[in-house]
Amino acid sequence: MLARLTFITLIGVLVSACASMSEDECRTADWYAVGYEDGTRGVSAEHFGERRKACAEHGVSPDLDAWLSGRDEGLKAYCTPQRGFQQGRTNTPYHGVCSASAEVDFMAAYQDGLLVGEVERHVSDLQNQLYRAEDDLDETEKWLRRSGDIDAADR
């Protein structure tokens, strides 16, 4: 439970840090490029509010139009079936940012990725169980050898 709480807290800190910008970053930002980068990561338009708030602390007002234009271009790179599959496979949440026409193929690939990722995680869990069982078997055989109930030839 403590590990889960620590993980959730860490994620919250990382997410909030993503929108934080220094005064220098706010003043020199190419808002089209920032929007493009945000779009390629599939962030929602609400994310701009976090950037605006961070820059307001430094007396800077970001360029919404440039950011939106860049984000729209970035979303074209994000809203592909390949990216949908990758996002699903890694179980990364989708925030409904793709256009209706792109979302159909994105979501189909996303669902496929979710299934593949689930199978891969299950296989990994089974491999870990197997490794633990092999370690347990080795420890048991060592114990039996020390106790004299088995000799090296029996292995």
Side-chain angles (χ1 to χ4, degrees):
M1 181 66 179
L2 180 60
R4 184 174 185 197
L5 182 59
T6 302
F7 177 75
I8 290 170
T9 303
L10 177 62
I11 292 298
V13 168
L14 291 174
V15 168
S16 65
C18 291
S20 294
M21 297 179 72
S22 70
E23 182 176 358
D24 187 51
E25 289 171 323
C26 288
R27 293 195 186 284
T28 61
D30 174 347
W31 289 103
Y32 178 90
V34 172
Y36 182 84
E37 183 179 319
D38 287 346
T40 62
R41 291 184 301 124
V43 301
S44 67
E46 288 79 28
H47 188 71
F48 183 78
E50 296 171 28
R51 292 204 181 278
R52 183 192 50 72
K53 188 186 303 183
C55 289
E57 293 176 7
H58 307 296
V60 177
S61 181
D63 185 343
L64 174 61
D65 291 335
W67 184 86
L68 284 172
S69 181
R71 180 177 166 272
D72 287 345
E73 285 302 309
L75 286 175
K76 290 177 185 174
Y78 175 82
C79 296
T80 64
Q82 296 82 3
R83 191 60 172 276
F85 182 84
Q86 176 189 26
Q87 296 293 100
R89 187 176 181 188
T90 58
N91 203 23
T92 303
Y94 169 62
H95 300 290
V97 296
C98 298
S99 67
S101 60
E103 191 170 59
V104 172
D105 291 337
F106 180 93
M107 287 306 297
Y110 184 86
Q111 293 299 321
D112 289 346
L114 283 173
L115 291 173
V116 168
E118 184 178 333
V119 168
E120 288 174 339
R121 286 183 290 279
H122 184 67
V123 167
S124 178
D125 289 345
L126 291 173
Q127 286 175 328
N128 288 333
Q129 289 176 23
L130 176 61
Y131 296 146
R132 284 192 300 274
E134 288 172 339
D135 288 345
D136 290 346
L137 178 61
D138 287 344
E139 289 301 314
T140 301
E141 287 177 347
K142 287 177 188 175
W143 182 83
L144 289 171
R145 269 193 229 98
R146 284 192 304 268
S147 68
D149 290 340
I150 191 173
D151 62 30
D154 290 335
R155 187 155 204 251

